[in-house]
Amino acid sequence: MISLGSGLCRRMGSATKASGSACHVPGAASTAFAQPVRKHQPMRQPLHAVGTPGPSGRPLLFEPITLRQLTIPNRIWLSPMCQYSAVDGAPNTWHLVHLGARAAGEHVWGASGCGLVMTEACAVVPEGRISPSDAGMWNDAQVEAWRPIADFIRSHGAVPSVQLAHAGRKASTFEPFVQGGRPLYPGKDAAAWQVVAPSAVPFADFQTPREMTEADIREVIDAFAAAAERSIKAGFQVVEIHMAHGYLLHQFLSPQANKRKDQYGGSLANRMRLPLAVAEAVRAVIPPELPLAVRISATDWAGPLDGPAWDVDQSVVLCGALRDLGCDLIDVSSGGQLPRALIPVGPGYQVPFSERIRREARVATGTVGLITTGKQAEKILQEGKADVVLIGREMLRDPNWPLRAAAELGYEGARYPPQYERGKFPIK
């Protein structure tokens, strides 16, 4: 078993306060980001000898990984994917089947299902939804709706995880399968709401957002913390903060969306201020034995004519600061800020970002994006480019992808649910 030290959905191309929250917004005079206090030990590397099987002789994909005091049975994780099927933010039987199918298996250190099953982005406030049918975690009714889903995932030995999000200027749209997911406009569409963002800069042809006040910012921090508390009550064991894909926290990070002149805009330290405050507030309400993950876009994929933007150099700095605040894993994606970014999409095209962040920020990473075969995923781990792989669209196509990957790798130890024994993949 390999242990890491503590501390360590859409448009990719293109509201209540927490009661009793003790978090604060760092002041303009704060030097916390210039000289971070190291509260946690950095990740100890190497985790394994590159090019060798795991310590048990299994493929690394099927080795467990321990973050803080939580052991996750394998390195194949379900990537968060919006389903646009919730009602008033509450999941239903669709979500139970969708997530449960990816967890089902006999998890005995060499599991057949995903080791970790992550929900779609759950909005922390109603106005933080992408569409009216997004899932949420802003009230207790949603806690009760999520609880049986988290319980089912755990009952099959997988780890239930939740992703918490706020869409910012990319909120208030139709579902992608309704009118093409076009933006909803107040005064034109009954289901629309006013969106907010760091600055009054719209995304493409979306509505122009209202620039957030400092009071709005404090409410967002509190909302993330309150949603994290609810997530733990619902039975989730890993909380991931969504700081990627052009949504609110990524908007604060990127000069493409953040034109502010106050303590939340301008310098890198200022642009990181809100995302780091959210991470600090969420970490404070999660039990110390459970991990915190953060999804980032490592780059905006800006071209030479796009002007200042978010890039991998800044991402390394951000991830080091997140590590020092108690973040245990960075889920490395990219894009989503620029509607017409030219992205060199291809197999494993985001893996180099994970590799660099893992090496330079000294934090565990997950990689995602056009990872389609077991051999490809295993090679990523063997070469030390990530600690886990998150599988998205391939898992939509085939909920049994982990079993297929095991057969592809010649691994005979993957345990099938007894109901599925007759349908084993042939070992290659």
Side-chain angles (χ1 to χ4, degrees):
M1 184 181 303
I2 297 171
S3 176
L4 305 181
S6 302
L8 261 176
C9 280
R10 176 173 160 232
R11 298 187 186 271
M12 282 291 296
S14 6
T16 56
K17 291 186 181 180
S19 59
S21 174
C23 65
H24 66 282
V25 180
S30 172
T31 59
F33 302 118
Q35 297 178 317
V37 176
R38 292 187 176 272
K39 299 179 181 178
H40 300 272
Q41 294 299 313
M43 185 180 74
R44 294 183 289 276
Q45 292 185 335
L47 298 177
H48 56 268
V50 173
T52 65
S56 68
R58 291 185 289 263
L60 281 173
L61 275 176
F62 294 93
E63 283 288 347
I65 181 170
T66 298
L67 299 170
R68 294 184 179 256
Q69 297 177 37
L70 179 69
T71 297
I72 300 160
N74 66 38
R75 311 299 183 94
I76 303 169
W77 293 9
L78 179 68
S79 191
M81 291 177 283
C82 290
Q83 299 297 294
Y84 306 103
S85 300
V87 178
D88 295 328
N92 49 56
T93 51
W94 173 265
H95 299 82
L96 173 62
V97 172
H98 164 65
L99 297 171
R102 277 81 186 168
E106 294 293 323
H107 284 267
V108 188
W109 305 144
S112 62
C114 294
L116 179 143
V117 173
M118 195 177 299
T119 71
E120 62 199 85
C122 292
V124 298
V125 289
E127 60 270 24
R129 293 172 294 171
I130 302 167
S131 81
S133 298
D134 280 27
M137 195 67 81
W138 67 79
N139 64 39
D140 291 341
Q142 292 155 0
V143 172
E144 295 307 311
W146 278 116
R147 182 173 284 121
I149 298 172
D151 287 348
F152 182 88
I153 293 168
R154 290 184 72 172
S155 75
H156 286 270
V159 170
S161 174
V162 65
Q163 186 187 68
L164 301 179
H166 190 304
R169 67 178 185 166
K170 294 176 77 173
S172 188
T173 75
F174 276 110
E175 298 78 6
F177 37 77
V178 178
Q179 297 191 33
R182 72 164 178 84
L184 293 165
Y185 300 100
K188 176 182 176 181
D189 299 297
W193 61 88
Q194 175 63 56
V195 303
V196 298
S199 304
V201 178
F203 176 80
D205 62 344
F206 286 38
Q207 62 172 277
T208 299
R210 177 178 64 80
E211 181 172 312
M212 294 173 67
T213 65
E214 291 200 10
D216 293 329
I217 289 170
R218 288 191 292 272
E219 289 178 0
V220 163
I221 297 168
D222 287 347
F224 269 95
E229 289 183 298
R230 292 189 186 99
S231 299
I232 299 300
K233 291 178 182 177
F236 291 103
Q237 295 175 286
V238 177
V239 172
E240 178 173 277
I241 303 170
H242 200 347
M243 296 189 185
H245 301 170
Y247 298 124
L248 183 66
L249 299 181
H250 183 192
Q251 290 161 26
F252 270 86
L253 291 169
S254 176
Q256 288 288 314
N258 186 345
K259 310 295 183 182
R260 299 177 73 96
K261 304 299 183 183
D262 62 3
Q263 62 179 322
Y264 296 99
S267 69
L268 175 59
N270 281 356
R271 286 182 281 115
M272 293 195 307
R273 192 177 301 278
L274 173 59
L276 292 182
V278 167
E280 184 176 25
V282 170
R283 179 70 266 176
V285 301
I286 297 174
E289 67 273 14
L290 297 181
L292 171 65
V294 173
R295 171 165 275 193
I296 70 161
S297 281
T299 178
D300 287 342
W301 296 107
L305 301 181
D306 289 320
W310 186 251
D311 59 24
V312 69
D313 291 340
Q314 296 170 90
S315 291
V316 169
V317 176
L318 171 68
C319 292
L322 288 168
R323 175 204 63 207
D324 292 340
L325 288 174
C327 174
D328 303 287
L329 183 136
I330 305 295
D331 175 1
V332 185
S333 188
S334 70
Q337 194 70 262
L338 298 174
R340 287 172 293 277
L342 297 177
I343 302 176
V345 175
Y349 70 104
Q350 296 175 142
V351 172
F353 302 134
S354 168
E355 179 184 19
R356 182 176 170 192
I357 288 168
R358 185 179 188 266
R359 181 181 67 249
E360 296 185 18
R362 303 285 294 175
V363 64
T365 61
T367 190
V368 64
L370 284 182
I371 299 170
T372 59
T373 70
K375 289 182 179 178
Q376 178 194 9
E378 178 71 9
K379 187 172 185 285
I380 290 167
L381 299 184
Q382 290 284 349
E383 294 178 348
K385 295 177 178 178
D387 299 282
V388 302
V389 293
L390 290 100
I391 308 296
R393 295 183 189 189
E394 280 302 306
M395 209 69 78
L396 291 181
R397 299 181 185 108
D398 182 4
N400 296 307
W401 189 91
L403 290 170
R404 185 184 295 276
E408 180 188 345
L409 293 168
Y411 175 53
E412 298 181 350
R415 299 286 295 274
Y416 283 68
Q419 300 93 329
Y420 288 4
E421 286 280 346
R422 292 169 292 173
K424 285 186 175 181
F425 291 107
I427 299 292
K428 295 183 180 180

